[in-house]
């Protein structure tokens, strides 16, 4: 079997629910752990046994290397059988800090960060020894907006001589997200240049959605392969004669960053109008995102904010729901922030065989996909939210209809055996 090195920004830690580790773990679960290794650049520890080897390049130590050039910035780490509460608290604090900085971008800080990584010492004998010891046949990485990460991937590909696969799963190469922001435009120029350099030493590409593939292929001049997170679809019979009791239960599990909170507030206002005389629909939101006092005040009595739950409990909560809610910012300044991403939540929703209500900007990969496949009730304008909810209440059989559509879409396009087959075929062609 070929040896595969996967480069990620985040550590493969299920407690942190990073989409990169979630997706890659699912994509490579059929491979022997001895044939898989991971290099990552966060202050986190892995807990996944999908890989046999992990190497961490510490950003904090890279910063210190500017003053202490001999400091070790990289080390091989082992998977802890059990992470202590103190360690977990530290991991969560680091992750929250990274998430906060993702949302509130300071482009001056981003430029300073890239300068630190450029002059910092991450090319070390420890990293070289790790690469030589594992000796990968294939290196897989996401095509990221982090310039320093792309530089590390280029180094690893050249150092090992391995074949390379790049994965497009976000919009980090167009100017569409923030057209009127000068800081964004300047930083995006260097991101694009970085990704073009990485693309030149990459042999094959995957893309997370049809929209992502279309735009990436055009910009980079490649022919990427469509590849989403795989889901193992259960055998399920959805009764069109199902009876739904009121109030209907709607569920959302995930963070409320980058404008999602404003969409949930818009839903809450629509629900309060519907529920004036009788509780018809209620929304449970399981989220790690701390809402501002102003946001909390705007939420009505029909929305219940709940603490986040472990990934293994999410499927059970979704199973109890009548409607699964997918939300992005519809018309705010961040409405196109995730325009080419394809949340891991989508394939999990499709697997559940429940009616999906999707709210977001029309110019995003998920909303385009839901609309084209007919797998969700789509709302792309806030003033249409109440209308969609009225439609569900007036014709409750629509719940079973869209549940069936979602399940069939998952079965036809995202079944684990099919997706993992694409992974194996891509790697076989390279090695």
């Amino acid at each position: 079997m070929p040896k595969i090195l996967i480069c990620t920004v985040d550590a493969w830690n299920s407690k942190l629910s990073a989409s990169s580790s979630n997706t890659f773990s699912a994509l490579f679960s059929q491979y022997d752990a001895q044939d898989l290794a991971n290099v990552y650049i966060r202050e986190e520890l892995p807990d996944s046994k999908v890989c046999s080897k992990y190497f961490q390049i510490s950003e904090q130590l890279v910063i210190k290397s500017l003053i202490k050039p001999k400091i070790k910035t990289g080390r091989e780490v082992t998977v802890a059988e059990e992470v202590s509460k103190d360690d977990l608290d530290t991991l969560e604090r680091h992750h929250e800090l990274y998430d906060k900085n993702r949302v509130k971008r300071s482009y001056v800080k981003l430029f300073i960060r890239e300068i630190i990584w450029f002059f910092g010492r991450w090319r070390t004998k420890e990293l070289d020894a790790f690469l030589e010891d594992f000796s990968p046949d294939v290196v897989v990485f996401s095509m990221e907006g982090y310039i320093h990460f792309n530089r590390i991937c280029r180094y690893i590909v050249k150092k090992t001589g391995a074949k390379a696969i790049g994965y497009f799963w976000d919009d980090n190469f167009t100017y569409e997200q923030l057209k009127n922001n000068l800081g964004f435009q300047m930083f995006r120029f260097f991101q694009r240049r970085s990704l073009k350099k990485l693309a030149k030493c990459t042999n094959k590409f995957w893309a997370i959605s049809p929209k992502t593939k279309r735009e990436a292929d055009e910009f980079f001049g490649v022919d990427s392969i469509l590849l989403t997170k795989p889901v193992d679809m259960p055998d399920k019979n959805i009764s069109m004669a199902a009876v739904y009791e009121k109030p209907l239960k709607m569920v959302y599990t995930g963070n409320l960053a980058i404008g999602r909170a404003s969409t949930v507030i818009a839903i809450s206002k629509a629900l309060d109008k519907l529920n004036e005389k009788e509780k018809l629909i209620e929304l449970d939101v399981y989220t790690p995102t701390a809402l501002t006092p102003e946001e909390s005040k705007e939420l009505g009595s029909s929305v219940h904010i709940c603490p986040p739950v472990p990934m293994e409990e999410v499927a059970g909560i979704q199973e109890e729901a009548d409607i699964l809610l997918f939300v992005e910012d519809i018309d705010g300044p961040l409405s196109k922030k995730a325009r080419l991403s394809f949340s891991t939540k989508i394939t999990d929703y499709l697997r559940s065989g429940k009616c999906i209500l999707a709210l977001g900007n029309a110019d995003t990969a998920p909303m385009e996909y839901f609309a084209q496949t007919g797998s969700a009730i789509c709302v792309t304008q806030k003033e249409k939210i109440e209308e969609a909810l009225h439609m569900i209440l007036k014709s409750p059989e629509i719940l079973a209809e869209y549940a069936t559509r979602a399940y069939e879409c998952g079965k036809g396009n995202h079944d684990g055996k099919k997706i993992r087959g694409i992974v194996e075929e891509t790697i076989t062609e390279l090695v």
Side-chain angles (χ1 to χ4, degrees):
M1 292 289 287
K3 301 185 84 173
I4 304 166
L5 176 64
I6 303 160
C7 303
T8 58
V9 174
D10 300 292
W12 288 23
N13 191 300
S14 60
K15 305 292 189 304
L16 302 174
S17 302
S19 60
S20 59
S21 60
N22 188 314
T23 300
F24 280 130
S25 293
L27 287 171
F28 290 94
S29 61
Q30 74 273 34
Y31 286 90
D32 192 307
Q34 296 303 312
D35 297 321
L36 299 175
N38 172 233
V39 171
Y40 68 95
I41 60 171
R42 282 285 185 260
E43 307 296 323
E44 302 162 353
L45 295 174
D47 67 0
S48 172
K49 294 184 178 180
V50 173
C51 292
S52 61
K53 289 175 171 286
Y54 291 90
F55 189 89
Q56 178 198 60
I57 301 175
S58 166
E59 184 167 39
Q60 291 185 0
L61 295 178
V62 169
I63 294 171
K64 291 181 180 179
S65 73
L66 294 174
I67 301 171
K68 299 178 180 180
K70 292 185 179 180
I71 195 171
K72 290 183 179 180
T73 59
R75 64 184 179 121
E76 186 170 347
V77 295
T78 56
V79 176
E81 291 295 330
E82 186 174 342
V83 181
S84 70
K85 187 179 185 305
D86 288 343
D87 285 340
L88 186 58
D89 288 343
T90 301
L91 292 178
E92 289 177 345
R93 281 197 301 272
H94 281 300
H95 206 67
E96 286 172 5
L97 179 62
Y98 286 126
D99 283 343
K100 182 179 179 181
N101 287 328
R102 281 193 192 107
V103 176
K104 296 184 177 180
R105 290 290 194 191
S106 166
Y107 293 101
V108 172
K109 289 182 180 179
L110 288 176
F111 274 114
I112 292 172
R113 181 193 210 180
E114 293 300 344
I115 291 170
I116 290 171
W117 273 95
F118 183 81
F119 289 104
R121 186 174 173 272
W122 55 266
R123 298 176 184 87
T124 60
K125 63 181 181 181
E126 289 81 15
L127 174 60
D128 290 347
F130 179 84
L131 297 175
E132 185 176 346
D133 177 60
F134 185 69
S135 187
D137 301 296
V138 178
V139 178
V140 180
F141 43 82
S142 49
M143 304 292 284
E144 293 283 356
Y146 301 99
I147 297 169
H148 55 281
F149 176 78
N150 298 334
R151 187 180 298 113
I152 292 169
C153 291
R154 290 204 314 270
Y155 176 83
I156 290 174
V157 171
K158 292 175 182 177
K159 189 73 177 177
T160 61
K163 300 294 185 181
I165 301 174
Y167 201 169
F168 297 111
W169 62 23
D170 211 347
D171 183 4
N172 41 44
F173 56 87
T174 82
Y175 289 110
E176 295 296 318
Q177 291 174 322
L178 296 169
K179 290 184 176 181
N180 300 318
N181 187 308
L182 181 59
F184 167 80
Q185 300 281 317
M186 292 174 63
F187 193 69
R188 179 51 52 97
F189 171 82
F190 291 101
Q191 287 177 310
R192 286 155 63 99
R193 191 170 72 169
S194 166
L195 286 165
K196 282 186 174 181
K197 286 182 180 178
L198 183 57
K200 286 181 180 178
C201 62
T202 304
N203 303 94
K204 282 186 177 290
F205 299 90
W206 293 326
I208 196 76
S209 75
K211 184 177 179 67
T212 312
K213 170 179 167 55
R214 194 166 61 245
E215 296 195 19
D217 286 359
E218 182 179 355
F219 179 74
F220 292 98
V222 300
D223 183 15
S224 57
I225 301 163
L226 189 61
L227 187 81
T228 64
K229 174 191 168 184
V231 284
D232 296 315
M233 300 294 296
D235 291 328
K236 196 162 192 172
N237 293 317
I238 300 169
S239 173
M240 298 303 291
V243 177
Y244 297 92
E245 296 182 2
K246 293 179 183 177
L248 297 176
K249 181 183 286 189
M250 185 157 51
V251 166
Y252 174 77
T253 53
N255 75 67
L256 296 177
I258 56 173
R260 297 186 185 105
S262 68
T263 306
V264 170
I265 289 170
I267 296 169
S268 76
K269 291 178 179 178
L271 288 175
D272 282 347
K273 287 184 181 180
L274 291 176
N275 293 337
E276 276 182 338
K277 296 181 180 179
E278 178 188 0
K279 286 287 184 183
L280 300 174
I281 306 177
E282 293 189 300
L283 170 60
D284 292 339
V285 177
Y286 295 84
T287 181
T289 306
L291 298 177
T292 65
E294 292 77 14
E295 289 170 337
S296 297
K297 284 180 182 177
E298 291 193 71
L299 288 177
S301 60
S302 301
V303 177
H304 312 291
I305 301 297
C306 311
V309 295
M311 290 178 63
E312 57 267 22
E313 294 180 24
V314 170
I317 291 172
Q318 292 175 350
E319 187 63 33
E320 295 296 318
D322 300 307
I323 305 166
L324 297 180
L325 181 66
F326 177 87
V327 293
E328 294 288 357
D329 188 4
I330 292 181
D331 53 12
L334 299 174
S335 60
K336 295 188 179 183
K337 184 70 177 175
R339 61 185 298 273
L340 295 185
S341 65
F342 197 80
S343 171
T344 56
K345 187 186 287 86
I346 294 172
T347 48
D348 291 336
Y349 276 15
L350 297 174
R351 179 187 184 278
S352 70
K354 295 287 182 176
C355 173
I356 301 171
L357 175 61
L359 288 77
N361 190 285
D363 184 26
T364 58
M367 296 305 293
E368 179 185 282
Y369 186 78
F370 282 135
Q372 289 182 349
T373 59
S375 54
I377 300 170
C378 297
V379 180
T380 57
Q381 298 174 2
K382 284 183 178 177
E383 54 269 25
K384 298 288 186 180
I385 295 174
E386 194 174 340
E387 181 182 321
L389 296 173
H390 270 299
M391 178 181 69
I392 291 170
L393 291 171
K394 186 178 179 180
S395 307
E397 64 273 10
I398 203 170
L399 294 173
E401 178 188 341
Y402 273 92
T404 303
R405 290 187 185 189
Y407 179 79
E408 289 178 349
C409 177
K411 190 80 171 174
N413 300 325
H414 307 282
D415 185 66
K417 185 176 180 181
K418 176 182 177 181
I419 298 297
R420 293 186 187 101
I422 295 172
V423 172
E424 293 183 14
E425 183 179 343
T426 306
I427 291 172
T428 300
E429 289 176 0
L430 285 178
V431 178

